[in-house]
Amino acid sequence: DSCSCFALPESFKSVLGSMMDVSLLKDPVFMLIGVSNIFGMAGLYVPFVYLVDAAKVAGIEDGQASFLLSVIGITNTFGRVIFGYIADFPSVNSLLLNNLCLVVCTLSVGAIPVCLSYFHYVIVAVFFGTAVCKYLFDCWLGLY
């Protein structure tokens, strides 16, 4: 007796039902990947927020500390081109390349507390900026 204007076609109901299937959430491997991506993506934004302040605390001038974000951006531009070119080769395992970039990003973020000079911060920014592009790009596309 309900109004026919609210009736949904069966094809729409079946597509919506398959999209709302939560059985994948019962798979422990999927859940582990999902939870690790939450922490991984949260950790990869740390340099963009805290690198300048960490450099200032270490005694780096304000202008040089701010330029570290530019170093990340400049090297990110080159990293996108280089890793995009490398990933296009059929013999390259894109997942392995992505994971290597993730390891480089993790190591560079972990190296921030042990930086002693402006040169050390620049090295961290170069490695982070070059490698973060591949990992973030693949996560945004859902390839990881």
Side-chain angles (χ1 to χ4, degrees):
D1 291 336
S2 65
C3 177
S4 63
C5 60
F6 292 113
L8 297 173
E10 284 301 318
S11 61
F12 182 78
K13 288 180 185 178
S14 68
V15 169
L16 188 62
S18 65
M19 286 174 33
M20 297 297 180
D21 183 20
V22 295
S23 63
L24 192 57
L25 296 176
K26 296 176 185 174
D27 184 11
V29 174
F30 178 80
M31 289 303 295
L32 182 64
I33 291 171
V35 171
S36 68
N37 276 338
I38 291 171
F39 292 113
M41 291 300 293
L44 287 175
Y45 289 106
V46 168
F48 295 110
V49 177
Y50 295 110
L51 183 63
V52 174
D53 290 335
K56 287 180 184 178
V57 168
I60 309 300
E61 296 176 14
D62 289 351
Q64 287 181 322
S66 297
F67 187 70
L68 292 171
L69 292 179
S70 297
V71 171
I72 291 175
I74 293 165
T75 56
N76 188 290
T77 302
F78 289 109
R80 286 180 185 272
V81 173
I82 292 166
F83 285 124
Y85 179 74
I86 292 170
D88 279 342
F89 289 108
S91 61
V92 173
N93 183 345
S94 186
L95 183 61
L96 177 63
L97 181 63
N98 187 45
N99 289 340
L100 289 174
C101 286
L102 178 60
V103 168
V104 170
C105 287
T106 304
L107 292 175
S108 62
V109 170
I112 291 173
V114 297
C115 291
L116 301 174
S117 68
Y118 182 66
F119 178 74
H120 294 141
Y121 282 103
V122 169
I123 295 298
V124 164
V126 165
F127 277 102
F128 180 79
T130 304
V132 74
C133 62
K134 177 68 177 146
Y135 177 69
L136 288 179
F137 183 70
D138 282 352
C139 285
W140 289 329
L141 289 179
L143 298 176
Y144 180 68

